[in-house]
Amino acid sequence: MSEERFPDDGSPHSRDGGSTGSGTTHDDHARTQRLPTVQQPVPPGSDRQSGAACAASRDVGRARRFWSARRVPAAIIALVLLAASGFLLYDVVSVRAGQPGMHWRRWLAHKLSTVHLDNTWVMASTAAIAAIGLWLVVMALTPGLRHLLPMQRPCADIRAGLDRSAAGLILRDRAMEVPGVQSAKLSVGRRRAKARAVSHFRDLDDVSKELHTTLDQELRQLGLARQPKVSVRAKRAKK
């Protein structure tokens, strides 16, 4: 049978001067050396600097909402519409200055002179264009990622968010641990967390107070940048 030789792993058997159970001797262990490990040197004071940066960014008010990437196409479309409006304004100013209007503008003016403004197609087209413009403005000015709740930032280079549905599931599980709660529904928003519970025993006021305290403590442990206010409504289960 062939013998296996094991490197010196620091075990009591390997440090023994005699033979071990695997058939190795003291000379074999003397020839065995540990492989060198590569360690990246840490600059002096870097741990203090990172700690200071983390401590400086612990302000809850600095955590901002997450913005959706849809603002980019909305901004591009807005710029295109702005350029088209400027082009039209330039043509109007040139006509006022005594220059002839462009061909496309004369053609459009001729079409508009033959079509009444109270036409159904004209009114429908105008309403559709106005709705699309308003929708683009709303998309460009709103964040969009309303399902993400910003969390506290322990460091300046760390940004985290908690999904509203996940926060609702966590709070619902904690609400079910309250004595007397048969079922619960939680909806978590940026400013308010609403709880609707059904109780099958205990006084409803006691259940509401304990549920409010439990959910408020759980929200503090979630580490949200802005803690929502808890709103609890409890009712008796139907017999």
Side-chain angles (χ1 to χ4, degrees):
M1 297 178 61
S2 61
E3 296 181 354
E4 295 182 357
R5 300 182 184 272
F6 295 89
D8 185 7
D9 56 353
S11 61
H13 297 286
S14 62
R15 287 192 293 266
D16 191 4
S19 61
T20 58
S22 59
T24 57
T25 62
H26 179 73
D27 296 337
D28 298 330
H29 291 300
R31 292 192 300 267
T32 304
Q33 297 180 358
R34 293 182 178 272
L35 294 176
T37 58
V38 179
Q39 296 181 356
Q40 183 177 2
V42 180
S46 61
D47 53 348
R48 294 193 298 268
Q49 294 177 0
S50 60
C54 292
S57 60
R58 289 183 183 275
D59 190 5
V60 177
R62 295 183 182 180
R64 300 179 180 178
R65 295 184 60 183
F66 291 88
W67 280 74
S68 173
R70 70 183 185 184
R71 60 179 178 173
V72 176
I76 294 176
I77 296 177
L79 290 176
V80 171
L81 294 178
L82 181 62
S85 301
F87 187 70
L88 179 61
L89 181 62
Y90 170 78
D91 185 65
V92 172
V93 172
S94 63
V95 171
R96 291 291 184 180
Q99 299 293 331
M102 296 183 180
H103 175 72
W104 66 270
R105 188 169 179 269
R106 295 195 301 268
W107 175 83
L108 182 61
H110 176 71
K111 289 294 182 181
L112 291 178
S113 62
T114 57
V115 178
H116 296 284
L117 296 179
D118 58 351
N119 189 288
T120 305
W121 289 104
V122 174
M123 297 180 64
S125 302
T126 305
I129 294 174
I132 293 175
L134 181 61
W135 176 61
L136 291 175
V137 171
V138 172
M139 287 185 63
L141 298 180
T142 55
L145 297 178
R146 300 183 61 87
H147 65 282
L148 286 179
L149 300 175
M151 303 180 67
Q152 298 178 8
R153 303 180 65 175
C155 291
D157 55 348
I158 297 178
R159 190 182 185 191
L162 181 62
D163 194 89
R164 292 171 55 182
S165 59
L169 291 176
I170 296 174
L171 295 180
R172 184 181 63 84
D173 293 340
R174 291 289 289 120
M176 294 300 298
E177 297 177 0
V178 176
V181 176
Q182 183 179 9
S183 62
K185 294 182 179 180
L186 271 298
S187 60
V188 183
R190 295 180 57 247
R191 295 181 176 85
R192 188 174 299 276
K194 299 180 181 180
R196 302 294 179 263
V198 177
S199 176
H200 57 290
F201 71 93
R202 294 183 64 189
D203 186 69
L204 292 180
D205 294 336
D206 296 340
V207 173
S208 299
K209 292 179 180 179
E210 186 173 354
L211 188 59
H212 189 282
T213 303
T214 302
L215 296 180
D216 187 72
Q217 294 177 355
E218 188 66 23
L219 280 173
R220 295 179 184 274
Q221 295 180 1
L222 291 180
L224 299 178
R226 181 175 182 176
Q227 181 178 347
K229 296 182 179 180
V230 180
S231 175
V232 178
R233 179 181 299 177
K235 63 179 181 179
R236 187 66 64 188
K238 296 181 180 180
K239 298 182 179 179

